[in-house]
Amino acid sequence: MLIISDRPDEDPLGLLPCAVPLRRLPSPLFSAEEYQLAPLVILDDRSYSAFTLRHMPHRPGLILALADPGDDTAHPRAAAIGAEAVLHTGQGLAWLHLRLHEATGCRYIRWEDLLTDPPTPGT
């Protein structure tokens, strides 16, 4: 699982602790091979511009994570890079944990985490 984030925070999405192995890299440091081989890639919205300058190919399993829930440009930007979902930082973590486990085949999950973060209606 690859997290592309230029934020100084070690856990920009609030995923830790997580049973799935996470690799966090700033946008200039990940390789094209790491990007293609990762079962799931989460792109922090603050890294979006640097990411687009690298002209990475579209791939399944790319998720755009937003810090600002009122960002009206999120969905067009996500569509432009071929992202399969837009996630607001700190929200929808139960869905993201399940998606991480599905993508990596990890069979361990803390059910308490899922029960404390129920999905919102319509998602």
Side-chain angles (χ1 to χ4, degrees):
M1 159 63 195
L2 176 62
I3 298 173
I4 301 169
S5 176
D6 294 333
R7 295 179 195 221
D9 183 6
E10 285 300 315
D11 188 16
L13 303 173
L15 284 173
L16 298 178
C18 182
V20 174
L22 305 174
R23 180 165 169 83
R24 182 186 171 278
L25 291 171
S27 54
L29 297 183
F30 72 92
S31 70
E33 183 179 18
E34 287 173 307
Y35 173 74
Q36 291 289 20
L37 292 177
L40 195 66
V41 177
I42 298 177
L43 176 64
D44 178 13
D45 65 334
R46 293 185 185 175
S47 306
Y48 180 86
S49 294
F51 177 82
T52 58
L53 291 174
R54 297 203 42 200
H55 304 287
M56 301 307 293
H58 289 201
R59 56 152 288 160
L62 176 61
I63 298 170
L64 180 61
L66 302 175
D68 179 13
D71 185 353
D72 294 338
T73 67
H75 291 285
R77 289 187 299 137
I81 61 171
E84 73 178 41
V86 175
L87 190 66
H88 296 286
T89 304
Q91 297 179 345
L93 290 181
W95 174 85
L96 184 55
H97 275 276
L98 286 174
R99 185 67 180 89
L100 288 170
H101 283 77
E102 175 190 33
T104 61
C106 181
R107 300 197 186 278
Y108 173 78
I109 191 163
R110 291 182 40 175
W111 291 105
E112 303 85 23
D113 293 343
L114 297 177
L115 297 174
T116 59
D117 184 23
T120 56
T123 59

